[in-house]
Amino acid sequence: MSSAADPLAPLAGLPGVSDSVDSVRKAVDRVYGHRVMRRRSGEIASEAALRGARGSAALSGADWALEEVRRRTDFGSEAQARAVGAALRLTAEAGQLLSIWRQSPMRVLARLHLVASGSTPAAPDAFAPSAIEGDTVGRPRLAGEPVDEPLIDLPLPSAEEVAGRLDGLSRLIIAGGSAPALITASVVHGELLALRPFGTYNGLVARAAERIVLINSGLDPKAICPAEVGHAEQGAQAYVAAFEGYVSGTAEGMAAWIAHCGRAIELGSRESTAVCEALQRGAA
């Protein structure tokens, strides 16, 4: 697809966005170029997944210490534990859905919500909505159905608007484009958070979808630069403020959201660099 036909390509021209794209690329390259990556990339990816899940859960109201996430085995007892468990499952599942994402994003989103909800049918179709919870799991909400999203308190788009915008987002992903991965990931993340298409776990699903885009685009193919870490590190207040810029639709607001997402990737890259250094010293 030519950049002229790519609706996201003009976002690269917004003030500061090209600098964010360049800064992210350099940050990611530094991690991938670390000498430890040559022989222990699997360990780094596993640690990045754990830390990314912790960061995403923190933004959904479960701000647990990393060691608590690491040691726990029971994630079904109360709301915070369920959020952490959902984040861990989503992080593990994201890497299994890469080949499907570019062909059927809606199937992937349905699967992500099923996984987050702990409702994962085996057969015949692991992507089908669940009969649990009144058949609301794994499908976009209908008119009048409530949404529980602890961090985002902006007005909800109607179910009709959600359906139309999800279709547009799906077409955009399937068509591909020339926009940098940072821009595509930011838009996918922001759009899903704005729509809150499911009754629960929308923030977790939106951040998991961002992760999928970053991996699938080739920017972070080994999933070692967890943006979720950076989103949490910048804080919930900054996250919401930047997201409100996305929802505003203004050039300034969009640029601020993309910059925020870029900074999140940089901070995630820095986290994994620290893990590399610890492994090199024999401290982890």
Side-chain angles (χ1 to χ4, degrees):
M1 176 184 284
S2 69
S3 61
D6 181 357
L8 299 187
L11 297 177
L14 294 178
V17 169
S18 64
D19 290 339
S20 292
V21 169
D22 291 343
S23 186
V24 164
R25 178 78 268 175
K26 290 174 184 175
V28 172
D29 285 347
R30 278 194 294 272
V31 185
Y32 275 85
H34 198 285
R35 59 188 301 178
V36 172
M37 277 293 295
R38 290 196 293 270
R39 61 187 187 278
R40 303 182 76 171
S41 62
E43 293 173 71
I44 297 161
S46 294
E47 191 65 22
L50 182 72
R51 294 175 186 228
R54 193 218 73 82
S56 192
L59 289 172
S60 287
D63 192 2
W64 288 11
L66 180 63
E67 291 310 313
E68 176 70 4
V69 178
R70 197 189 301 278
R71 74 168 189 84
R72 281 286 285 266
T73 57
D74 173 21
F75 296 101
S77 56
E78 42 84 24
Q80 286 197 13
R82 289 195 297 272
V84 174
L88 287 166
R89 291 191 298 272
L90 283 171
T91 303
E93 186 75 8
Q96 311 302 313
L97 302 173
L98 302 178
S99 62
I100 305 166
W101 175 252
R102 285 294 297 272
Q103 289 141 13
S104 183
M106 287 308 303
R107 289 184 71 207
V108 170
L109 292 175
R111 175 67 181 179
L112 290 174
H113 191 242
L114 285 164
V115 168
S117 302
S119 307
T120 50
D125 183 357
F127 292 83
S130 171
I132 299 173
E133 299 179 28
D135 201 25
T136 63
V137 177
R139 64 152 175 83
R141 57 187 167 84
L142 302 177
E145 291 181 342
V147 171
D148 177 20
E149 181 53 47
L151 187 60
I152 305 302
D153 194 28
L154 297 177
L156 279 171
S158 68
E160 183 179 9
E161 182 180 351
V162 167
R165 286 171 63 176
L166 281 177
D167 181 65
L169 184 64
S170 180
R171 290 173 182 272
L172 188 72
I173 293 163
I174 292 169
S178 61
L182 168 60
I183 292 176
T184 304
S186 300
V187 169
V188 168
H189 181 171
E191 190 69 358
L192 291 173
L193 203 55
L195 295 178
R196 282 151 287 163
F198 303 110
T200 54
Y201 298 122
N202 287 289
L204 292 174
V205 168
R207 292 184 288 274
E210 179 186 47
R211 168 180 281 267
I212 288 172
V213 173
L214 294 172
I215 299 169
N216 218 15
S217 66
L219 177 65
D220 183 20
K222 294 184 178 180
I224 59 169
C225 303
E228 304 95 328
V229 167
H231 286 304
E233 187 171 332
Q234 292 178 90
Q237 186 174 354
Y239 181 77
V240 172
F243 169 66
E244 287 175 350
Y246 176 86
V247 173
S248 76
T250 64
E252 181 181 10
M254 289 295 294
W257 172 246
I258 293 168
H260 184 90
C261 291
R263 181 62 179 154
I265 299 168
E266 292 179 54
L267 291 170
S269 301
R270 187 179 71 179
E271 184 91 350
S272 287
T273 299
V275 172
C276 288
E277 296 293 334
L279 288 170
Q280 187 167 284
R281 294 191 306 269

